[in-house]
Amino acid sequence: MSLPSPAASPSLKPTELIPASRKRQRSQSMQSDSSSSIKRSASEGPSSAIPVPIMTDPISSIDSSTEHDIEIDAYMAEQGEDITTQPSSLTIEQKVARIKCLRDKPMVAGDTWYIISRQWFRHWEIACGILSDKSLESLQEKDIGPPDNSSLFDSQGNLTSNLVEHIDVEFLPEEAWSELVAWYGQPINPLPRSVIAKAFLQTALELRPPRLKVLVLKDLGPDADVTGSPHPYVTVSIKDPMKALFKALVSAVTARSNVPYRIWKIEPGEFPGSQFPASKLASCGAELVSEETDKTVEDNMIEPEDPFVVEFQENGTWIVDASQVVRAPPLSTVHVPPPLFSNDNDFFNRLSNQRTSAFQNTQPFRTPSPSRRGSSSKAKESSVAPFKSFGFSKGGSKVIQEPGTLGLGNMGNTCFMNSALQCLAHTKELTDYFLSGVYQEELNPDNPLGMHGAIAEAFGLLLHRIWARDSTSTSYSPREFKSQLQRFAPQFSGYQQHDSQELVAFLLDGLHEDLNRVLKKPYVEKPDWEGGGDLELAKLAQTSWEGYMKRNDSVIVDLFQGQYQSTLVCPECEKVSITFDPFMYLTLPLPVNKKWSHVIHYVPWDASVPHKKVPVEINRNSSFKDLKSLLGRWMGVRPKRLLTIEVFNHRFYKNLDDSILCSDMADNDQIFCFELPCNSRQSRSYKPKDNDPFILPVILTDVVPPHPAYSNYSRGTNNFGYPFIVVVDRDQAGSVDGMYDAVIERLQRWTVHERDLYTWQADPSPGDAVTIPIPTVSPIDSVAEIKENGDISEVDGMVIEGDIADQRTFSEDDSEMDAGAYIVGTKQGIFNLRLYTGYKDYTAGGYGSSNGRSEQWETRIEEVESGAPLLREGDALLCEFDENMKAYYFGTSQFENSRWDEWVLFVHLEYLKAQEAATVQKSKGITLDDCLAEFTKEEQLGEDDLWYCPRCKKHQQATKKFDLWKVPDILAVHLKRFSNSRALRDKIDTFVDFPIEGLDLTSLVGERQAGTRLAQSGADINELGIRDVEEPLIYDLYAVDEHMGGLGGGHYRAYAFNHVTEQWYHFDDSYVTQSDASHAVNSNAYLLFYKRRSNAPLGGKTNEKIEEAGRKAAAEVEEEHTADPEAQLPTPPSESDAAPFPFPSTQQPSNGGYLTPRSNTRSTPASSPPPLDDGDPTTLEAQSDDLIAEDGLTLCPLELASHQFDFPDPSARASPTSSVEVEPDYDDDPPCSSLFRAHANIDSWVGSSQNALPSPAVSDPDDINPFSDMNLQKGADDSMDV
């Protein structure tokens, strides 16, 4: 159904625009302006089609009076003054400066900012002269219209998925938005947004505040359906208190404020009207929502599109009896208009007592004593809420789902999280660690680099849900986990799409620090390489690893972390530096070598050498500095003397200096490369010299009509032909005639009548002649005379006296005269040489003119000192041709007399070989081995990434090489498909072939190679920490995280191997189907998870702890069975001898510590969509269940979860088609949903002393830095911001 545009939140209403005037508002100046929040970083918006900024500082071109006004405005703004002025009185420069000043203000939590479409804002920048665009040359300010966000909505009125700053949108403070509205009219689809506080003293704009559906409860009869007009929406901030939410919901359906009401939350779905029948509350899982004063929308885990039903009292009574729908709600769920006098203490006391009694009435289960890491407030015998599935069946039927096949609901662009969680959840060794309860003993809540154990607890609880053995739930929305995740990682908050690999990196790092066995990290100095052979190298690696382990020791280190070797070699003194660093995942570049192909227009400086068209093919990440190095090598010219520039519309459009990426250019862009006799000065490292010549752009144009003296800007010019570059030395720059001669010398290349640019003489006197040889001049068949009336006549074999002074040309027949002809000088009056200013980097700046600002030569001569050059930086020369001169030298409409189309094709042999190699590579394809080879390939550091050589005592462009030294048991491979560097934003969709079984890394791991050689030489490799060198390093695939679509959007899914059912499954958010491993090998594969084959259990120290936990649990079961056999829970015959342990190992023989999984009837999700989630119990319900006795706590949660209950018959659901879709969450049963919603988050029920999982210590999350020094991954900084 078509959805209306999102309504603005009541807290986000646009302020009314008052008539603009400069006035003081002293009340504002008295308010304190908080500056505690960090100013947001304006990241450069990379794009391959970014317009060129032709004026970096618009204020610099404003006269002194305007600058004075702006300084006053800025000062008044700092003092809290209203500095708006009448729109009609502002010039374009003042408007630009005003918006620029306002946009520089920092974001402060609680402020309102506006989202404006980049499309509209870009048009405004082009109209104001800030940017230049080829397709919008004629766009003027009067043409842009009011602020318009229509491009951000789809055809159904829904906000598009991508809201990337500088790419899709721009962010404006409220004041700047108000100015634009005052200047250009009432906006279309305004999008106000709140600035919200994040962790670590950061603020951010809430791009996607939740939009909620509002209905009204009506008594419509027992069989009535939803009816009435379309229901309204409300948009609120996730930081809004529940009281603000209640007010917004009620205001959306009524204007009355004195009628008692209460709010029901029902299951998500589509509703055709706004009137909800009371008879359907129970069947829609309704629960009363509590208006808790200390809770926010985010705290209550309210998601976008959640529906709410407002119930008003009728005749003093409620429409429905709440006890017949759900359990009696807390008093705070009913809103009654407050009396004039009330006793707030009694209300809160009753509420507190009610909550306390609710927890005291439950009986905790006994578990082993918590770890010494637990909070001091925890009881020695704490409780655990084992996950069991329960419900009420329809017709007595029930479907038990296989463990590990639970889908994860999409809560709005959370597919990146769901796919990553499925991959990690199917890491058997990690799952065993959490399900066995070992992690509880290793929580490190006092680690300042961790998250106080909250991430580990949230992940552990989620794993219990996923691997519940008698669950009927087919999907579950991990709200609790996301709540904890965004609490410590604000970059993942909200509902924007993110990179799945970044989440995996953060989660593994967070789990490592939360479970770090090192309580106090000592200072460890990194060892240096002193030279030597294999023995010294192995000792250095061992010392580095032992030093790392002194600070880092956890299950993540045991399973996921390896070590790589980094080698740097100085190119001058050949000093070798070797370091060893840990890695948690391998980021492998794809050796696709995406090429940038283009045809370059090459213009040599020597006029006798023809200009060429040069096809080039270069790496897409290359800069124009690399391109000039290539052209310089091909042409035999120093690259520093080449100037690259883009030509558009007969003028220079963009200066392509050394920092510009080749991939910034479009396929149809015209790129010129001019050879110069001096340094082109396109490198940022170039230091200007006093005697540097002037490098000026020259533009050919028709005669410009005179403009009024009062005008500050030039009239528009009619350019033609190609612009070119002229180099004017200091002497030539002292006179206009000298500059005219320099231009004539460059102009001769572009006309077939180049001979007629000069004055010739047959026998010049030695004192007056100036010899300028022109090798390209061919013998003439005829000469032309331009008469005074403009007519052109050709005369054969005659000497013509032209109408230009001193002009003498000779016929071919007069060989004697022709052989002795010399050029006396340039022919005067061919064109008018005009001076233009405002050119920066050879392109015009300023407002309203494509050719800058005209300046009279007389004015410039008066301004400069006598003898000083007449030119300045930023000047340009325009050659004005009248109609007759233009026709003679270049031709008429066809330009038949020009050489602009006479380009010689130049194809270098190197280009042909590159074409052949690309064809071979394309037919061969890419394998994972190719990616590993690319990762270990030696490369040279760039000029911006120099290495300081301790021997040379200076920075050097060293060569760098990475090698794998030690590989982990679980190898996570990140295929670097996303590029996000400067202006390059791209995804590589190339298919990479990777093995499902038998990935052999033995030959690539340095530790094995060095250990084998040392063992053969008789060294004791065990002392070096090297073991099992004879065992090959072979890996098998068990999970794949895939990404479909483009950069910044798309959809994530996962394939994973279930070690219980020994089947592969495909996880598409909540939709899970049985699959095959071969389906995971596709061009969408993004993250690969491999497990090492081994005869011994994986995990080292972690595995020992898991086995010890299994033995201890088995002993306790035996002890309790002996003491009180009747108290033991019934055990299936097949499991009579099993110990309480999660699942059997698939790589080693089962032992007494492992259970054999129960043999349930397997569902067939491939034949029909799986049913929706029917929900799991809350902590309180699980603890109060009759079947779970206190004695049962000696069994593991999975044993308790094996009991079966009645469940409702699940319904079918199709696979989601978009990651933006917010899926209905059916993880609560109607009779228990109220308690689950009220106590589901980890802070409230995990933190209770009634459960076994210790809660994180109470602290300010802003003081916590979740990032450790653990992961020094090569190329990690280049990964995408989707």
Side-chain angles (χ1 to χ4, degrees), residues 242-409:
M242 293 300 294
K243 183 176 294 186
L245 171 62
F246 274 45
K247 182 178 179 181
L249 294 173
V250 174
S251 300
V253 295
T254 183
R256 299 180 297 172
S257 60
N258 58 346
V259 179
Y261 63 86
R262 57 186 181 185
I263 306 294
W264 297 85
K265 185 178 182 301
I266 57 177
E267 292 174 350
E270 296 297 334
F271 304 97
S274 59
Q275 296 183 9
F276 191 87
S279 58
K280 286 187 173 294
L281 276 182
S283 61
C284 289
E287 61 181 10
L288 281 172
V289 185
S290 173
E291 186 183 354
E292 301 179 61
T293 56
D294 59 340
K295 292 286 187 178
T296 64
V297 172
E298 182 180 33
D299 295 336
N300 283 275
M301 291 178 288
I302 295 174
E303 305 290 346
E305 303 299 321
D306 278 352
F308 291 85
V309 178
V310 183
E311 178 187 6
F312 295 98
Q313 277 192 359
E314 295 182 356
N315 301 321
T317 60
W318 299 110
I319 298 175
V320 297
D321 184 358
S323 62
Q324 300 298 320
V325 181
V326 290
R327 298 180 183 179
L331 296 180
S332 58
T333 61
V334 178
H335 178 85
V336 179
L340 294 177
F341 304 96
S342 62
N343 189 344
D344 293 337
N345 292 332
D346 291 341
F347 167 76
F348 286 109
N349 285 336
R350 290 195 304 271
L351 179 60
S352 178
N353 292 338
Q354 180 180 358
R355 288 185 177 177
T356 304
S357 62
F359 281 98
Q360 290 175 348
N361 289 337
T362 61
Q363 293 186 358
F365 300 105
R366 292 201 310 271
T367 57
S369 300
S371 165
R372 52 190 168 85
R373 311 282 174 85
S375 172
S376 58
S377 63
K378 290 183 174 63
K380 289 187 176 180
E381 289 202 358
S382 58
S383 66
V384 64
F387 285 99
K388 68 182 184 69
S389 301
F390 66 104
F392 301 91
S393 65
K394 293 181 180 180
S397 62
K398 53 188 176 182
V399 178
I400 303 298
Q401 300 299 317
E402 294 285 6
T405 62
L406 181 71
L408 298 178

Side-chain angles (χ1 to χ4, degrees), residues 374-579:
S375 172
S376 58
S377 63
K378 290 183 174 63
K380 289 187 176 180
E381 289 202 358
S382 58
S383 66
V384 64
F387 285 99
K388 68 182 184 69
S389 301
F390 66 104
F392 301 91
S393 65
K394 293 181 180 180
S397 62
K398 53 188 176 182
V399 178
I400 303 298
Q401 300 299 317
E402 294 285 6
T405 62
L406 181 71
L408 298 178
N410 193 320
M411 298 174 288
N413 274 325
T414 57
C415 59
F416 76 96
M417 179 181 72
N418 295 342
S419 61
L421 289 175
Q422 293 288 8
C423 291
L424 293 178
H426 286 77
T427 305
K428 178 186 179 299
E429 290 71 20
L430 185 64
T431 299
D432 290 348
Y433 172 81
F434 277 92
L435 297 185
S436 63
V438 175
Y439 80 102
Q440 300 176 44
E441 301 177 359
E442 296 192 335
L443 284 172
N444 189 349
D446 299 324
N447 185 359
L449 297 178
M451 293 100 189
H452 291 194
I455 289 294
E457 288 179 341
F459 186 68
L461 293 172
L462 181 59
L463 287 183
H464 277 78
R465 283 193 180 274
I466 291 176
W467 291 101
R469 292 194 299 177
D470 68 345
S471 173
T472 59
S473 303
T474 62
S475 69
Y476 164 72
S477 296
R479 289 188 176 94
E480 297 90 345
F481 179 84
K482 185 177 186 295
S483 176
Q484 293 299 325
L485 175 69
Q486 63 191 22
R487 173 184 169 194
F488 294 101
Q491 66 268 29
F492 298 119
S493 63
Y495 307 101
Q496 196 81 349
Q497 183 68 282
H498 297 281
D499 189 350
S500 188
Q501 182 270 334
E502 292 178 359
L503 176 67
V504 170
F506 176 85
L507 182 54
L508 290 179
D509 192 29
L511 291 175
H512 162 71
E513 295 297 352
D514 272 2
L515 300 168
N516 200 340
R517 300 171 185 130
V518 180
L519 298 180
K520 186 175 182 181
K521 295 189 176 186
Y523 171 76
V524 178
E525 189 170 346
K526 202 169 188 178
D528 294 326
W529 170 247
E530 301 295 340
D534 286 338
L535 181 61
E536 290 75 18
L537 191 66
K539 287 182 178 179
L540 177 64
Q542 183 188 27
T543 304
S544 299
W545 184 257
E546 290 175 348
Y548 177 74
M549 290 294 291
K550 290 178 181 178
R551 295 172 54 86
N552 304 277
D553 184 13
S554 70
V555 60
I556 304 301
V557 177
D558 293 340
L559 292 176
F560 288 89
Q561 291 198 10
Q563 190 179 29
Y564 64 77
Q565 172 187 338
S566 174
T567 305
L568 287 164
V569 180
C570 177
E572 185 172 324
C573 69
E574 297 185 351
K575 159 75 176 174
V576 178
S577 173
I578 298 178
T579 57

Side-chain angles (χ1 to χ4, degrees), residues 1058-1164:
N1058 188 316
H1059 55 270
V1060 176
T1061 65
E1062 297 187 353
Q1063 295 289 335
W1064 278 82
Y1065 290 90
H1066 185 223
F1067 298 89
D1068 191 347
D1069 288 329
S1070 62
Y1071 187 56
V1072 182
T1073 56
Q1074 191 171 320
S1075 185
D1076 188 82
S1078 60
H1079 297 164
V1081 184
N1082 58 63
S1083 59
N1084 296 321
Y1086 183 44
L1087 302 179
L1088 314 178
F1089 293 85
Y1090 281 93
K1091 182 184 302 183
R1092 183 171 63 87
R1093 290 184 192 174
S1094 177
N1095 296 324
L1098 304 180
K1101 187 185 301 184
T1102 294
N1103 180 72
E1104 296 174 3
K1105 290 179 175 291
I1106 294 174
E1107 291 182 347
E1108 177 62 28
R1111 289 190 293 268
K1112 183 183 296 185
E1116 291 182 358
V1117 170
E1118 182 65 25
E1119 181 181 352
E1120 291 201 3
H1121 176 71
T1122 303
D1124 188 6
E1126 296 182 357
Q1128 184 179 3
L1129 292 176
T1131 305
S1134 61
E1135 301 179 6
S1136 58
D1137 299 327
F1141 195 75
F1143 298 112
S1145 171
T1146 58
Q1147 293 186 354
Q1148 61 185 24
S1150 60
N1151 51 49
Y1154 287 78
L1155 282 175
T1156 302
R1158 57 183 296 124
S1159 177
N1160 293 327
T1161 302
R1162 190 167 301 175
S1163 60
T1164 57

Side-chain angles (χ1 to χ4, degrees), residues 580-762:
F580 290 89
D581 297 295
F583 69 87
M584 193 162 52
Y585 52 89
L586 278 180
T587 294
L588 300 183
L590 272 61
V592 243
N593 290 330
K594 274 199 167 182
K595 297 293 186 177
W596 178 79
S597 300
H598 215 92
V599 175
I600 308 299
H601 294 71
Y602 183 83
V603 182
W605 181 257
D606 187 351
S608 65
V609 180
H611 35 276
K612 306 177 178 68
K613 280 188 175 182
V614 184
V616 297
E617 188 174 76
I618 195 170
N619 193 292
R620 190 170 183 178
N621 293 325
S622 301
S623 65
F624 273 89
K625 178 183 178 181
D626 303 318
L627 177 63
K628 289 192 290 187
S629 298
L630 178 70
L631 290 174
R633 186 172 70 251
W634 288 0
M635 300 298 175
V637 180
R638 295 174 61 184
K640 292 183 178 180
R641 291 192 172 186
L642 296 179
L643 187 147
T644 48
I645 196 165
E646 181 186 357
V647 173
F648 172 72
N649 200 19
H650 312 294
R651 60 188 176 89
F652 292 127
Y653 180 73
K654 182 179 182 180
N655 178 30
L656 304 176
D657 61 32
D658 289 355
S659 65
I660 303 295
L661 291 178
C662 293
S663 56
D664 287 355
M665 310 305 294
D667 293 338
N668 58 347
D669 289 340
Q670 282 191 318
I671 300 176
F672 277 62
C673 180
F674 290 93
E675 179 188 338
L676 302 182
C678 61
N679 194 305
S680 63
R681 306 200 282 269
Q682 285 191 309
S683 172
R684 295 178 180 177
S685 61
Y686 181 80
K687 297 180 180 179
K689 303 178 181 61
D690 293 337
N691 61 345
D692 280 342
F694 295 94
I695 303 176
L696 304 176
V698 180
I699 300 172
L700 307 180
T701 180
D702 295 331
V703 174
V704 179
H707 60 274
Y710 58 81
S711 174
N712 290 329
Y713 306 109
S714 305
R715 293 280 184 91
T717 57
N718 184 25
N719 304 336
F720 64 88
Y722 286 139
F724 53 88
I725 296 292
V726 64
V727 178
V728 181
D729 59 35
R730 297 280 167 171
D731 293 336
Q732 290 175 312
S735 66
V736 179
D737 291 340
M739 288 179 273
Y740 181 90
D741 293 343
V743 171
I744 288 287
E745 184 180 355
R746 296 295 97 206
L747 188 63
Q748 63 178 312
R749 171 181 292 280
W750 305 110
T751 176
V752 298
H753 293 150
E754 70 273 25
R755 188 182 182 95
D756 294 334
L757 295 173
Y758 297 93
T759 299
W760 295 76
Q761 184 169 317

